[in-house]
Every structure is written in structure tokens, then in C-alpha cells.
Amino acid sequence: RTVIRVASKRNCPKHSGERLQKSDKGAEKVIVDLDFARTGCRKMVIKYSGEKRYCPRCKRYYEPPSIQRLGGQTFGHGFRAWAVYQRIILRLPYRIINQAMEELFHETASEASIIRFVEEFADYYRRTESILVRRLLDNPFVHADETRLSIRGIDHYVWVFTDGQHVVFRLTETRETTVVRELLGGFQGVLATDFYAGYDALDCRQQKCWCHLIRDLNDDLWKFPFDEELQKFVSAVRDLIVPIIEAIHRWGLKAKHLRRFKKQVDSFYVTVIEGREYALDVTKKYQKRFARYRKSLFRFLDEDGIPWNNNTAERAIRHLAVQRKISGAFHPRGAVAYLVLLGIAQTCRFQEKSFLQFLLSKEIDVDRFQSSRRIKISKPVNRETKL
């Protein structure tokens, strides 16, 4: 146990200039905290001790400022950061976090206390989230995606926005894209999305995800394996997009190497899309999709660095999808706070930085934070794109 003597309060806060008198009353506050080192962490019990001072005009005693600032706090910053890490990164339920506290540190806290830890850290890092939003708006492209989230049995929607380095989440009650318009107000770049029709009303340049399109084509091929018309249509799409993807793998997303495929795109639309009559409804569906999204399907051919898929958004939101399976439903009190911290955690992950070390540092800007240890991230296996 460590004992820290703290300075007493000198002046009365209500009567400026009124000096407080000494007294024989003491003030103490015990805080349980964790001290982190390279080899692990250890529990610390810190007792803050000082003297209360008396104001004859107020007829009341005042605690030392250091003790007063601690308020009703029982656990220090390190301990609370550890609990938040268990919830956000390890996805542990509050009950299991409490059990781990008892077994590892012989300390107990109610589930409400752990929820409060998450809310307190989310409030502290609101400024961090604002910085992440500004960084997103400065980027030439942003990925967006959405998924369902049950809150007390009622479906809500979580939206993710990312540029591959910064991640921000938003929670809405409906699937309307108003939140996208509000967050990306003034955005001058390209928005990469799937084919949800709600994105069509947004006033910005867009790039539709080819992975979603290829996935849909493959699924329908399995449903209609003997339909010659659909097979010819998909073969034409394959002959168009595969050479483009191979060029991207070789040269990257450089418009000077990709613009040469615009002639093939024009030829594809003339021979496969425009003026063709198809018998099968599923083929007509893809014909309309290609006609409707011609510009946004091939935006990446004209502008440097624009991704041809929306995989980054799916990577950012996958952590939430796993948490949803574990938790089932979220409580409304903690859902928004959880998403604030999850956005920061995913930003640390994309930048290969330690989320726990970031919390312990009390830093605000993730980009400026330098993690003392580089985090190894297992990269997803690239699946072959087949048509």
C-alpha cells in the first residue's frame, strides 16, 4: 500500500480571500489501481491522506482538492482502462469482467460500475471522435456500411465510416441515410458503398463495391446453374473485370494504368447492356444495375487511389458483428458509449497501435500517439474472386 500526503485547501471557494483554518479532522481516500509494465501489471492500493480545513463564515469543512477531485471513485485510471479493454477488445460480458476482477485482483465491482467506466471513457474521448471525423473528411475517399443491432429487442442500425486509418460509428433507429449526409456534410471525396438504394440520394461522387456485385452474381449462378443466358452474361462481366483487377494487383490504384480499360467498358456496355433483350428476370436485374450505376461502378478508373471494393468498411464493422453474436442485444444506456470506444479501438487496430496503451496514455489524438510496442495484425486471407 502506498500513502500519499496531499496539500490542504487554502481559501474558501464561496468567500474569496477567506483563509481556511486548520482543524484536527483528517481526510482519506483509498484508490485501487493497476500499474502496467512490459512484463505485466500489478495491483496497487493508494491511500491519499490530508487535512480538512474549516471556514468560520461557511461553518463547514473542506477536503483537500486532490481528494475532492477523486469524488466517489474507487478504482484508478489504469484499473478502469483494463475493464474497458476487456469489454471493447476482448468482447467480454460485464458479468465475466466482474468475475475476472475477483479472480485476478480480488476486487469486486457491479455491472453498473463497469458500464459507468465505459461511459466515462467515452465522454473523455468525444474529442478524439471529433478529430477522427475531421480526418475522414480530409481524405479523398471514405468507406461506408451499415448493419443491424438489437437494442432491447428493437432493431437499430449501426453505420461505420472509415478511410482505412480512421473509424467512426453512428447509431440510428432507422436505415435512412440522414446520418451519412450529416456526418459527411461538405465531403468532397468519393464514397465507397454497397448497392443499398439509400446511398443513391447522397450528393457526392460514389464508387460501388465490385465484391458485392461479384458475390451476387456467383450466388445467382448457383441458383440457376443451367441457364445459358445468365452464364454468358456473367462470362462477359468476368472478361471485363478480371484484367482490371489483375492490373490493380500489378500497378495499384493508379488511373494512368487503369484508364486504358475504358474502351473495354464502353464495348461491354454496347454489346452486353445497351439495347439487349434478356428473357430471364435475374439477367434483367443485373442489366438494370449496370445501366444505373455505370459511373459509380468505374469511378476508380478515372481517379487515383479510389478503392474498387468496400472490404475496408466490412473489416471495420466485423468486430461489432462478432460482439452482436456474443451479447445478443445491447442496452440503450451503453450502446452509444460502446460505439465511440469501438471506433477508437478499430482506428488503433488499423494503425497497428495498442488500444490499451492509448487508453493508459490519456492521449487524445490517435495519429500522434506512438505505441511503445507494434501490434502484429493477422491479415485476412485473400479469397480468389471467381465468376
Side-chain angles (χ1 to χ4, degrees):
R1 173 176 292 204
T2 302
V3 179
I4 299 177
R5 295 288 300 179
V6 296
S8 301
K9 199 174 186 68
R10 294 184 177 183
N11 299 318
C12 177
K14 294 184 178 180
H15 305 96
S16 65
E18 184 74 25
R19 298 282 291 185
L20 297 177
Q21 299 177 0
K22 292 184 177 182
S23 72
D24 57 354
K25 292 183 178 292
E28 292 182 351
K29 181 67 179 180
V30 177
I31 296 293
V32 179
D33 209 347
L34 294 179
D35 180 33
F36 289 84
R38 290 187 177 182
T39 56
C41 65
R42 63 184 179 91
K43 187 176 86 170
M44 300 188 304
V45 179
I46 306 172
K47 184 172 79 169
Y48 296 89
S49 179
E51 175 192 350
K52 290 183 179 180
R53 292 291 178 91
Y54 179 73
C55 177
R57 294 180 65 181
C58 297
K59 299 188 183 301
R60 60 169 294 183
Y61 292 89
Y62 289 96
E63 292 182 333
S66 298
I67 294 179
Q68 201 171 19
R69 282 193 294 268
L70 294 173
Q73 197 177 127
T74 303
F75 296 97
H77 179 82
F79 211 119
R80 288 177 290 144
W82 174 87
V84 170
Y85 177 84
Q86 305 298 310
R87 176 59 176 169
I88 304 299
I89 300 298
L90 301 187
R91 308 185 184 98
L92 296 182
Y94 298 117
R95 175 180 56 84
I96 302 301
I97 297 174
N98 189 21
Q99 181 179 340
M101 288 177 62
E102 292 182 8
E103 293 183 355
L104 296 175
F105 308 113
H106 305 289
E107 298 291 340
T108 60
S110 64
E111 292 186 17
S113 296
I114 300 175
I115 294 175
R116 189 172 65 252
F117 296 165
V118 174
E119 292 175 336
E120 290 171 352
F121 273 69
D123 289 340
Y124 179 81
Y125 287 109
R126 290 287 180 184
R127 184 179 161 197
T128 302
E129 187 184 56
S130 299
I131 295 173
L132 296 180
V133 172
R134 291 203 305 270
R135 300 273 162 77
L136 284 175
L137 296 178
D138 291 339
N139 209 56
F141 66 88
V142 170
H143 296 266
D145 200 3
E146 80 287 338
T147 188
R148 285 188 179 90
L149 185 69
S150 176
I151 297 182
R152 283 187 172 176
I154 300 175
D155 278 347
H156 287 61
Y157 288 87
V158 174
W159 302 78
V160 62
F161 305 90
T162 178
D163 58 4
Q165 289 291 308
H166 312 92
V167 182
V168 173
F169 290 95
R170 286 290 185 269
L171 179 68
T172 60
E173 295 181 357
T174 68
R175 204 183 178 190
E176 295 180 2
T177 53
T178 305
V179 65
V180 185
R181 192 176 295 108
E182 291 174 351
L183 189 136
L184 297 180
F187 176 59
Q188 300 297 318
V190 176
L191 180 64
T193 68
D194 57 22
F195 291 90
Y196 169 48
Y199 294 115
D200 297 347
L202 299 176
D203 186 21
C204 66
R205 307 193 315 283
Q206 297 188 33
Q207 171 62 52
K208 294 302 178 183
C209 177
W210 269 91
C211 283
H212 279 81
L213 179 57
I214 293 170
R215 195 180 306 151
D216 292 343
L217 286 167
N218 284 331
D219 290 343
D220 283 329
L221 274 178
W222 282 104
K223 293 178 183 177
F224 306 97
F226 304 109
D227 189 274
E228 186 177 350
E229 178 186 271
L230 180 60
Q231 290 181 4
K232 288 183 178 180
F233 185 91
V234 174
S235 295
V237 176
R238 179 197 60 200
D239 294 341
L240 172 67
I241 194 61
V242 168
I244 297 177
I245 295 176
E246 289 175 348
I248 292 173
H249 288 165
R250 182 177 181 182
W251 304 108
L253 295 168
K254 299 294 184 181
K256 65 179 181 180
H257 296 296
L258 299 178
R259 288 194 186 102
R260 61 188 175 91
F261 291 102
K262 295 182 71 173
K263 291 183 179 179
Q264 287 90 320
V265 173
D266 293 339
S267 176
F268 169 81
Y269 271 85
V270 170
T271 58
V272 180
I273 304 300
E274 298 170 351
R276 290 292 301 271
E277 293 290 337
Y278 291 104
L280 195 65
D281 288 341
V282 67
T283 314
K284 293 179 180 179
K285 176 184 71 174
Y286 288 112
Q287 182 187 29
K288 292 179 181 178
R289 184 182 293 187
F290 271 94
R292 180 178 184 179
Y293 296 111
R294 178 168 181 170
K295 287 185 178 180
S296 54
L297 272 172
F298 298 96
R299 178 81 60 186
F300 68 97
L301 298 181
D302 292 312
E303 301 185 35
D304 285 339
I306 303 304
W308 60 278
N309 58 61
N310 202 30
N311 293 348
T312 303
E314 294 188 349
R315 281 181 56 211
I317 212 168
R318 190 175 296 128
H319 188 101
L320 177 64
V322 176
Q323 181 70 70
R324 183 176 55 195
K325 292 180 180 179
I326 297 173
S327 301
F330 278 69
H331 193 280
R333 175 183 167 187
V336 174
Y338 171 84
L339 291 175
V340 170
L341 295 175
L342 180 60
I344 298 170
Q346 292 295 75
T347 299
C348 289
R349 173 173 172 254
F350 281 4
Q351 297 187 19
E352 299 188 8
K353 296 176 181 178
S354 167
F355 177 60
L356 177 59
Q357 290 179 15
F358 178 75
L359 295 181
L360 294 173
S361 71
K362 299 184 181 180
E363 177 63 72
I364 294 296
D365 193 335
V366 180
D367 289 4
R368 294 181 180 178
F369 169 69
Q370 298 296 325
S371 181
S372 60
R373 181 178 299 177
R374 187 177 179 85
I375 305 301
K376 297 292 184 181
I377 298 179
S378 56
K379 296 182 179 180
V381 177
N382 291 326
R383 298 178 180 177
E384 293 185 2
T385 303
K386 297 182 179 180
L387 285 172

